[in-house]
Amino acid sequence: MKWEEIGGQTCSIARALSEVGDRWTLLVLREAFLRTSRFGDFVERTGAARNLVADRLHKLVAADVLERRVYQEKPERFEYRLTQKGRDLYPLMMALVHWGDRWHDDGRGKPIEHVHRTCGHVMHAEPTCSECGERLDPRQVDVRPGPALLAEEG
Amino acid sequence: MKWEEIGGQTCSIARALSEVGDRWTLLVLREAFLRTSRFGDFVERTGAARNLVADRLHKLVAADVLERRVYQEKPERFEYRLTQKGRDLYPLMMALVHWGDRWHDDGRGKPIEHVHRTCGHVMHAEPTCSECGERLDPRQVDVRPGPALLAEEG
DNA sequence: TGCCGTGAGTTGCGAAAGGAAACCATCTGT
DNA sequence: ACAGATGGTTTCCTTTCGCAACTCACGGCA
């Protein structure tokens, strides 16, 4: 099976991965969240080849995760900004950071820290139940087919 | 820059991606969270080629995200199970699902639903501050260099 | 007027990774 | 003896990477 077909599955993870499940794509998004906006900066800070950065930026724009805007005419210069769809990847990024912090600590502590301005503490993202607010324990969560899967089977 | 070098960056996202940032790897992990444990099932349910599944499973075992156990002798049969490190990817998976649900709905609703047994509702993961419990708003979070980055620069 | 520098890409080519199918090995059931 | 299940490995071909070089449009400047 090829990657173009993956997005066609009735599975939100597969669909999400078909748009942002690529290694360079995720590094580009890391930079976007750190306010990088210009082509050259993406190349420099991700370490990816220029053609790959160009390709990933264009795909992200096509997917409406980033938008490309002119920030200067003559000569035309562009910037790439997160859209709402892109900003919604924040929980994903925070989850990646936290997992990396926890399992890839080389003994020197965290590479970066997140400070919650509201409470003033160094924090990480803690997933909770959207309905009752309790901290999520995977063992307390049942998975069952949703409308889309049921429609498909029946 | 090659992918092997990425993990060496002083960046938790880069380090995380070096282990689980691959497309097939993430689909394999999706299955692991859905209790898939056998080689043939991974092949069938991810749709990946057998050689790729074999490669990804071995890498995940080497990274201590999965463990390979004999569940039957004569003939020897193996199962792949999430380790604690693997189970800790739960927030990442929930973030992927939720993003996919929100932005890739084809009008037929969610492919799968998560039910919180504790409160009985269909839910999704909501990231909150680990310190004060408030719902996370990216604009309320400051990013600053952590110990590892400071040690590197100074 | 020519020349340099900057930003944003595009092109070309050898090397690495991916994808499909065939093949192998071990054991069980009939 | 032979088919079927399980868990891979090998082979071969195509696609994608990774790197360097090149283009293009302009602005400054001497």
Side-chain angles (χ1 to χ4, degrees), chain A residues 70-86:
Chain A
V70 174
Y71 72 90
Q72 174 192 299
E73 318 241 5
K74 285 179 166 290
E76 277 195 319
R77 290 295 143 76
F78 311 100
E79 60 175 4
Y80 295 88
R81 293 283 182 190
L82 288 166
T83 60
Q84 185 55 49
K85 185 175 172 183

Side-chain angles (χ1 to χ4, degrees), chain A residues 1 6 9, chain B residues 24 27-32 36-57 80:
Chain A
M1 185 180 293
I6 295 294
Q9 291 184 14
Chain B
W24 291 125
L27 275 194
V28 164
L29 285 170
R30 171 191 78 183
E31 287 309 318
T36 296
S37 67
R38 281 145 63 171
F39 181 82
D41 291 338
F42 280 109
V43 171
E44 196 175 315
R45 296 177 195 168
T46 61
R50 305 175 69 77
N51 51 350
L52 297 190
V53 173
D55 178 73
R56 297 307 189 276
L57 285 174
Y80 295 87

Side-chain angles (χ1 to χ4, degrees), chain B residues 13-138:
Chain B
I13 293 188
R15 292 175 187 171
L17 292 178
S18 72
E19 278 191 342
V20 299
D22 174 83
R23 302 163 108 99
W24 291 125
T25 299
L26 285 163
L27 275 194
V28 164
L29 285 170
R30 171 191 78 183
E31 287 309 318
F33 274 99
L34 292 173
R35 309 261 190 286
T36 296
S37 67
R38 281 145 63 171
F39 181 82
D41 291 338
F42 280 109
V43 171
E44 196 175 315
R45 296 177 195 168
T46 61
R50 305 175 69 77
N51 51 350
L52 297 190
V53 173
D55 178 73
R56 297 307 189 276
L57 285 174
H58 290 320
K59 281 179 180 164
L60 286 170
V61 168
D64 197 32
V65 170
L66 297 180
E67 63 175 332
R68 183 179 189 255
R69 292 195 311 217
V70 175
Y71 72 90
Q72 174 192 299
E73 317 244 4
K74 287 183 166 289
E76 277 197 318
R77 291 289 184 267
F78 310 100
E79 60 175 3
Y80 295 87
R81 292 282 182 189
L82 289 167
T83 60
Q84 184 56 49
K85 186 174 173 185
R87 284 191 293 274
D88 263 7
L89 288 166
Y90 190 70
L92 182 72
M93 291 292 156
M94 292 298 277
L96 270 175
V97 172
H98 185 47
W99 191 81
D101 282 345
R102 185 183 296 211
W103 293 100
H104 289 273
D105 190 332
D106 54 6
R108 295 183 308 164
K110 302 180 187 181
I112 63 167
E113 288 178 344
H114 293 95
V115 179
H116 195 205
R117 214 176 302 145
T118 315
C119 73
H121 292 102
V122 172
M123 47 72 73
H124 61 86
E126 185 78 51
T128 58
C129 172
S130 58
E131 306 308 307
C132 72
E134 202 173 282
R135 264 188 66 171
L136 267 196
D137 177 348

